[in-house]
Amino acid sequence: MMREYWMPALVSTELPAPDCDPVRILLLGERFIAFRDSSGSVGMLSAQCPHRGASLFFGRNEEGGLRCVYHGWKFDVSGRCLDMPNEPVESNFKDKVRARSVPVVERGGLVWAYLGSQAEPPPLPALEFFDEEPSETRSVNVFQINCNWLQALEGDIDTSHFGFLHVGHLGNDAAPEGTFLRHMLEDRAPRYKVVDTEFGSSYGAYRPAGSDQETYWRIAHYLFPFYTMIPTGLLGSSQTVTARVPLDDEHTMVYLATADEVPSDLAIGAETYQNLKLLPNTTDWHGRFRSARTLDNDYEVDREAQRSGRSFTGLDSVPLEDRAMTESMGAVLDRRHEHLGSSDVMVIRVRRRILRALRAFVDSGDLPPGANEPDLYRQRSGGVVLPAGADWLTATQGLRDGTEEPTTDPMLAAGV
């Protein structure tokens, strides 16, 4: 089902110039070789040469195609065979052989691939960060995690962990009165509203905003098949989306893209993505965007920082805290041993939403939500204060779809 969507496959800069070195790409358990040809176009071919199965990774990227070094067969970005130098000149065999290729598009600094069944690929999702030029506010951060994609995604839609994992060391009065962070610190067990949507599911986590007259809401989304929009910053300003793309069952590439109108230094942990301590990329199948801090070295946990109260976890960044928790569950968590509570209502809703879509896809061939509806992805998430008793969906419609500008002082959202 996931193949019916465009998905990020690599960062454009991984193929920095025409005729540069090819790159091994693992996507949904399938092996590809990505290359940029002499004209600058990107191709993704099945890793094995269709002749006798030698790896195209060792191919010569030259003169408009990738040439297998075993027998010299050469393929362009579409998989068409350009040359078979070991066949007789009069042979037309090269016109009958193709390397498997998948459609690719470059957008937003990423190379997107479509592995699905539609003869004409669907439109790309209309994610808002596509609209912005690279700048101080538009960025894409990429890193690999060693666990199943859904396991990691569920951490994004579990908002109650924020008050413990990320700010558990802060006292209730550690933030100024009236700020979103203060509301969260004073009430770390919010109530929830969850709904299914055309694009997936959404939640609103709510708690008092300093009085019984107003309510602080954190509104966020799951979007098919692997996107989340977490409730950072002001609702209506935050244009942040995370894609958790499966390399295989036990490894996930995370693409965090933002085009926030509000300066990113207002959000907690915003600069920590610049300090991910990534290892240099290698050429093996899992060799891209790996962290130097792993379960094997306990993520370099600082127990003294934990004991002293400088940190709740002893881990030095928000993304590291999230990754350590989801990876420590094991590569694929056996969910039969879970005990889900009321704070897990969004996790439960998303699992059911995915299963319903999967059954419809398998049983009836129904395309999953959003696969051919790019505009469904123009959503925004974040925090907002509403009058007590206001309908959270009706009151925030314009902020969630970006047609209404927030009126709240952005400084009130500092720290969340």
Side-chain angles (χ1 to χ4, degrees), residues 298 300-311 313-315:
D298 300 321
E300 299 180 356
V301 61
D302 184 341
R303 293 295 188 182
E304 181 53 38
Q306 196 179 56
R307 278 189 289 269
S308 69
R310 288 186 287 113
S311 166
T313 64
L315 304 170

Side-chain angles (χ1 to χ4, degrees), residues 99-383:
R100 179 171 182 253
S101 67
V102 295
V104 296
V105 174
E106 286 193 83
R107 193 77 184 274
L110 301 173
V111 176
W112 299 73
Y114 176 70
L115 278 59
S117 63
Q118 299 183 66
E120 183 67 27
L124 284 170
L127 298 166
E128 286 195 272
F129 87 95
F130 287 162
D131 301 340
E132 305 293 330
E133 294 298 321
S135 65
E136 292 183 0
T137 56
R138 193 194 99 172
S139 62
V140 179
N141 291 284
V142 186
F143 54 97
Q144 185 181 158
I145 55 177
N146 299 321
C147 68
N148 182 265
W149 71 277
L150 184 59
Q151 189 167 305
L153 182 147
E154 288 175 347
D156 290 349
I157 55 177
D158 158 28
T159 189
S160 70
H161 81 263
F162 187 96
F164 302 94
L165 184 67
H166 302 317
V167 295
H169 59 296
L170 299 180
N172 292 1
D173 58 354
E177 289 189 12
T179 62
F180 291 0
L181 182 56
R182 179 63 172 261
H183 304 326
M184 185 181 299
L185 294 175
E186 290 181 338
D187 184 346
R188 301 181 197 235
R191 306 297 191 269
Y192 297 86
K193 300 284 188 180
V194 296
V195 295
D196 287 338
T197 63
E198 292 182 285
F199 54 79
S201 301
S202 299
Y203 75 78
Y206 64 98
R207 67 198 93 199
S211 73
D212 58 4
Q213 303 301 309
E214 293 183 317
T215 302
Y216 167 49
W217 289 84
R218 283 168 61 83
I219 296 173
H221 315 296
Y222 159 72
L223 307 93
F224 275 90
F226 42 54
Y227 297 104
T228 57
M229 293 181 178
I230 60 175
T232 57
L234 290 176
L235 181 63
S237 292
S238 183
Q239 302 175 44
T240 297
V241 61
T242 302
R244 297 190 178 271
V245 181
L247 303 184
D248 54 27
D249 288 342
E250 299 183 354
H251 300 85
T252 303
M253 196 68 78
V254 181
Y255 299 85
L256 188 144
T258 184
D260 282 359
E261 297 169 4
V262 176
S264 60
D265 58 4
L266 295 183
I268 189 168
E271 295 184 359
T272 60
Y273 286 98
Q274 309 305 319
N275 187 33
L276 289 173
K277 290 191 177 181
L278 297 182
L279 297 171
N281 281 3
T282 62
T283 58
D284 61 285
W285 292 109
H286 295 108
R288 303 162 53 234
F289 303 104
R290 298 164 303 155
S291 176
R293 295 176 289 193
T294 68
L295 190 59
D296 290 338
N297 59 22
D298 300 321
Y299 305 97
E300 299 180 356
V301 61
D302 184 341
R303 293 295 188 182
E304 181 53 38
Q306 196 179 56
R307 278 189 289 269
S308 69
R310 288 186 287 113
S311 166
F312 190 69
T313 64
L315 304 170
D316 75 356
S317 70
V318 168
L320 184 62
E321 289 169 337
D322 286 329
R323 187 165 58 80
M325 295 303 98
T326 52
E327 288 183 349
S328 71
M329 298 173 184
V332 182
L333 175 66
D334 185 346
R335 290 172 173 81
R336 293 173 297 180
H337 302 301
E338 290 180 324
H339 296 80
L340 302 182
S342 60
S343 64
D344 301 304
V345 63
M346 180 63 171
V347 172
I348 295 167
R349 176 66 66 105
V350 167
R351 291 179 186 177
R352 291 175 174 170
R353 185 80 165 100
I354 293 173
L355 288 172
R356 284 199 306 273
L358 182 58
R359 291 188 185 109
F361 179 74
V362 171
D363 295 343
S364 306
D366 296 345
L367 281 177
N372 278 3
E373 301 167 285
D375 289 341
L376 293 183
Y377 292 85
R378 301 192 75 83
Q379 307 294 329
R380 297 187 181 187
S381 58

Side-chain angles (χ1 to χ4, degrees), residues 17-30:
D19 294 332
C20 62
D21 294 349
V23 177
R24 287 187 175 105
I25 298 296
L26 190 61
L27 195 59
L28 303 190
E30 190 168 355

Side-chain angles (χ1 to χ4, degrees), residues 79-91:
R80 183 169 60 99
C81 187
L82 302 176
D83 190 22
M84 278 187 181
N86 70 330
E87 288 292 308
V89 174
E90 65 274 14
S91 171

